[in-house]
Amino acid sequence: MNSIEERIKELKQEKNAVILAHYYQCPEIQQIADYVGDSYYLSKIVKEAGQELIIFCGVRFMAESAKILSPHKKVLLPVADAGCPMADMADTNKIKELKKQYPDAAAVCYINTSVEVKALCDICVTSSNAFDIIRKLPERKIIFLPDRNLSAYIADKCPEKEFIIYPGYCIVHNKIMPEHITELKIKHPNAPVAAHPECRKEVLALADFVGSTAEILSYAKSSDSPELIVVTEEGIRHALEHQSPKKKFYFPYPQMICANMKKTTIENVLWALEDEAAEIHIEEGLRISALNCLKEMHRLGN
Ligand code: 13P
Ligand code: SF4
């Protein structure tokens, strides 16, 4: 262990801090984290963890969700401009218009959204619980935002619902085309394909399994296959290889790397712990309006 990691460990103890990291973070961040998970798991851990200081290694909407759920805790996002371009695609004025246009629809937002967007919606979902939650909603019409690919995937699985789909997408997952997968399948014909639902419909059609990052990890663990084609951000490779060191994992080209997830370095984590400057602040009225969305997700989710 080098001195930066030692210092992080000392400060963590001294300050009673906890480090949370998403699977898309760099391996060295995942190694020093107390909890590594998908966005749903991390949103639950925030409340369960006893520590009052949370270092959230991920992107802004994740740290904001932590603050919404645990207002009395100090939540730090080590790199202030680590955002999510898909979350930025959800425009509050357009959402207000859609709600006016479809007053009897449930407004469902992906957790990849700002506090302002969550404050306008009825319930929040993640890729691991979207299907379970949406099918439980009493409303037949669903305004789903901002990910058009996840919406289309859930809409196919819920034919009893009518989806009003918002045109957002993840720049990392959406760039993968079916031919990138078929190229890999030619090279590795026996490897099953596991893909994240933020991928295009035509890509998901080629997948043997579709799920969130945590679900892809479970699938890889239980699969009898010694090799797997994985269609999501490459940060997940660290957890996949740690979990199944004998299996081989192939990722598509062009590389799936979320530049925002990769902004956080080990030094940023140390600096965040040292000066506690990168704090998430949310105006209380806005936080309360956004809280319902996340509470509803935890009530109806698994
Ligand atoms: P998960 O919900 O699978 O963690 O995904 C979050 C995300 O940002 C995917 O791009
Ligand atoms: Fe946002 Fe996509 Fe990066 Fe996830 S991978 S944080 S959805 S840009």
Side-chain angles (χ1 to χ4, degrees):
M1 202 181 273
N2 70 30
S3 58
I4 294 187
E5 284 154 335
E6 290 284 8
R7 186 73 192 121
I8 288 174
K9 238 180 141 185
E10 280 166 14
L11 278 170
K12 224 172 54 168
Q13 272 193 336
E14 212 175 279
K15 299 195 170 192
N16 189 26
V18 63
I19 301 181
L20 311 189
H22 190 269
Y23 287 125
Y24 295 165
Q25 290 286 294
C26 301
E28 55 276 24
I29 302 288
Q30 295 189 45
Q31 269 156 13
I32 47 123
D34 299 288
Y35 298 95
V36 184
D38 69 355
S39 47
Y40 186 51
Y41 171 79
L42 294 173
S43 79
K44 286 193 295 185
I45 278 300
V46 160
K47 285 177 79 185
E48 288 164 25
Q51 293 87 343
E52 293 297 309
L53 180 60
I54 299 173
I55 318 297
F56 211 121
C57 302
V59 289
R60 179 161 287 273
F61 74 81
M62 296 179 176
E64 281 183 351
S65 298
K67 186 66 185 177
I68 296 169
L69 289 161
S70 295
H72 305 301
K73 296 188 179 179
K74 193 169 196 177
V75 180
L76 307 177
L77 178 68
V79 178
D81 71 347
C84 168
M86 169 157 71
D88 296 340
M89 291 175 193
D91 177 84
T92 50
N93 288 326
K94 280 197 194 128
I95 298 165
K96 284 179 194 161
E97 272 171 36
L98 282 173
K99 284 179 58 165
K100 252 194 215 156
Q101 205 180 336
Y102 302 97
D104 52 345
V108 180
C109 65
Y110 198 17
I111 198 165
N112 300 42
T113 43
S114 66
V115 201
E116 288 78 8
V117 168
K118 287 187 177 78
L120 290 174
C121 292
D122 301 309
I123 188 162
C124 185
V125 296
T126 74
S127 52
S128 62
N129 60 29
F131 172 63
D132 280 341
I133 290 181
I134 289 173
R135 70 185 174 151
K136 285 182 196 159
L137 296 178
E139 293 86 351
R140 198 182 67 79
K141 284 188 191 165
I142 307 289
I143 300 171
F144 189 103
L145 56 108
D147 188 10
R148 66 181 183 211
N149 293 332
L150 177 63
S151 323
Y153 173 68
I154 303 295
D156 268 359
K157 290 178 64 164
C158 288
E160 71 280 14
K161 305 268 185 197
E162 184 187 328
F163 279 72
I164 295 106
I165 294 182
Y166 192 92
Y169 57 90
C170 164
I171 53 173
V172 178
H173 289 80
N174 195 63
K175 73 177 175 191
I176 300 303
M177 296 294 179
E179 46 275 29
H180 300 135
I181 309 304
T182 39
E183 267 167 37
L184 269 174
K185 279 172 82 123
I186 291 166
K187 281 193 205 148
H188 311 286
N190 298 319
V193 178
H196 197 281
E198 287 174 14
C199 295
R200 288 165 187 263
K201 194 178 180 149
E202 313 85 78
V203 168
L204 297 182
L206 298 172
D208 298 280
F209 177 80
V210 177
S212 74
T213 45
E215 289 168 335
I216 291 176
L217 273 151
S218 310
Y219 174 76
K221 193 176 184 179
S222 59
S223 168
D224 292 335
S225 173
E227 50 179 9
L228 210 77
I229 294 170
V230 181
V231 196
T232 192
E233 212 272 355
E234 288 200 20
I236 199 175
R237 182 191 280 283
H238 177 72
L240 283 167
E241 289 178 347
H242 180 75
Q243 170 188 274
S244 309
K246 292 198 176 124
K247 293 189 181 177
K248 282 201 153 51
F249 302 102
Y250 311 113
F251 286 79
Y253 188 81
Q255 280 191 298
M256 298 179 75
I257 293 180
C258 175
N260 281 280
M261 283 283 186
K262 298 295 185 274
K263 280 180 181 170
T264 313
T265 64
I266 200 94
E267 286 83 2
N268 296 135
V269 177
L270 175 62
W271 297 330
L273 269 163
E274 276 175 349
D275 59 24
E276 296 181 32
E279 192 178 350
I280 298 284
H281 293 285
I282 301 171
E283 189 272 317
E284 187 58 7
L286 181 62
R287 185 191 74 80
I288 300 283
S289 308
L291 177 62
N292 186 52
C293 221
L294 285 160
K295 268 192 171 167
E296 279 298 280
M297 171 176 80
H298 286 154
R299 188 176 70 80
L300 290 182
N302 297 321

